[in-house]
Amino acid sequence: MAPVTSRSHLSVLRGFLALAAAVLCFSGDAAEARVLLTLDDFGAVGDGVANDTQAFLDAWTAACGSEEQAVLAVPAAKAYRIWPLQLTGPCKKKLKLLIAGTIVAPSSPDEWAGRDWMKWLYIYGVDNLSVSGGGTIDGAGQEWWARSCKRKKTQPCNTVAPPRVVHFEECRGVSVQGLTLQNGQHFHLSFTRCTDVKANFLRVVAPADSPNTDGIHLNDTSRVEIMDNLISVGDDCVSMVGNCSDIRVRDISCGPGHGISIGSLGKNRTTDRVENVRVDTCLLTNTTNGVRIKSWQGGMGFAHDLRFENIVMKNVSNPIIIDQYYCDQPTPCANQTEAVEVRKVEFVDVRGTSATAQAIDIACSDTVPCRELELKNVNLTLEGGGAASASCYKAFGKAVGTVVPASCLARHDS
């Protein structure tokens, strides 16, 4: 009797045969040899119904372990339903994940029972990974949103953070370009403790009322380029927390959403450090905030050397906001004296219309005031016509050029 072979073992066998064939096809020049693998080589069905998780994992294992540079393709015109998946490194060579088709999550949160609720497509410890291809990653987050306590006001409701759509951790030299990420259960694209990151030419979309569906989120990550993206979500288009530095955000269309945010910082008395951030040439439309710095009372650390430049606002609530009293919880936050220091922040060539009477709102700590702020060539008026206002508390700096509404910054500490 022939031995019984599991589907997984058959997939691996098919994969190694495909790997051998691909090496032969691409090894004409040993210096530039490439391996091309597809999910279908490993038994994936791609009908949007079958569980293709094991095929994806087997394909990743073969590609990551290849002695030649590998291209792992998700074929076009097919949908691969993938359950929570962890893709780990290090890989032997540079790896390209070419997503031309669609990767879709299970629709029910119940499928995460016994699993880590914060992870769906989780990539750990992989260097020099390129993800591209023009395809779609769909978090199918509708049921997660319906169960969230932020939307569902009666018990039972879900207070646990849902999974992130694509989450990179401890990775270096990562590039994510030319994809659509949609309907995230939580953050669409996030990076934790990563360096040398590019997230460009992306389309990130979810309904305006989908809770906590940030577009691109950074945590403890440095040397980042976020450029040429269209982001329309239910939370921050771009956000950064923890210890982030050397961040460039440029050519972004944001809205609806909660704007572009540094923070929240200092939650639960943590020490966060954010510095050398440049946000320029961005269009924000119908967002609940514009460009924002937010921190909790009691936090420590700093937000230094930040520049927001060439920003156009269209019907944006709170276009410019610094809030050292941020409190996102159902009960009031206790007054505390420690605060994340905000210093050397520039708002340059910011113009457009405000949906709120107050276009500039800067509320800083009594004990750790905001210093070295600059408003330069700012022109914000009310949507529909009329003058907007500005409010400052414990905010020190200067106005340069024409500033509308008139600057409220104090020139010296008093």
Side-chain angles (χ1 to χ4, degrees), residues 113-128:
R115 308 173 191 264
D116 187 338
W117 276 44
M118 290 189 67
K119 296 174 182 175
W120 177 37
L121 303 178
Y122 176 66
I123 302 168
Y124 180 83
V126 181
D127 296 342
N128 302 312

Side-chain angles (χ1 to χ4, degrees), residues 206-225:
D209 63 348
S210 56
N212 299 118
T213 52
D214 292 45
I216 301 172
H217 179 76
L218 309 177
N219 183 12
D220 294 346
T221 291
S222 61
R223 299 199 295 272
V224 179
E225 175 185 285

Side-chain angles (χ1 to χ4, degrees), residues 74 99-104 134-138 179-182 203:
V74 178
I99 302 173
T102 298
I103 297 172
V104 61
T136 299
I137 302 176
D138 189 342
L179 298 174
T180 293
L181 296 95
Q182 65 187 31
R203 178 175 176 266

Side-chain angles (χ1 to χ4, degrees), residues 15-27 30 32-38 42 57-72 88-96 126-128:
F16 280 118
L17 291 174
L19 177 60
V23 170
L24 290 174
C25 291
F26 284 81
S27 59
E32 298 182 0
R34 298 285 177 89
V35 175
L36 174 62
L37 303 172
T38 77
F42 295 80
L57 183 59
D58 292 341
W60 174 270
T61 300
C64 187
S66 171
E67 297 291 346
E68 310 293 342
Q69 291 189 29
V71 177
L72 176 55
T88 58
C91 296
K92 290 186 177 180
K93 296 288 183 177
K94 288 183 178 180
L95 178 59
K96 175 177 284 188
V126 181
D127 296 342
N128 302 312

Side-chain angles (χ1 to χ4, degrees), residues 95 97 128-132 168 172-177 179 191 196-200:
L95 178 59
L97 179 56
N128 302 312
L129 172 65
S130 170
V131 185
S132 61
F168 292 89
R172 295 178 298 177
V174 175
S175 172
V176 183
Q177 302 191 81
L179 298 174
F191 300 89
D196 298 309
V197 169
K198 292 183 178 180
N200 301 334

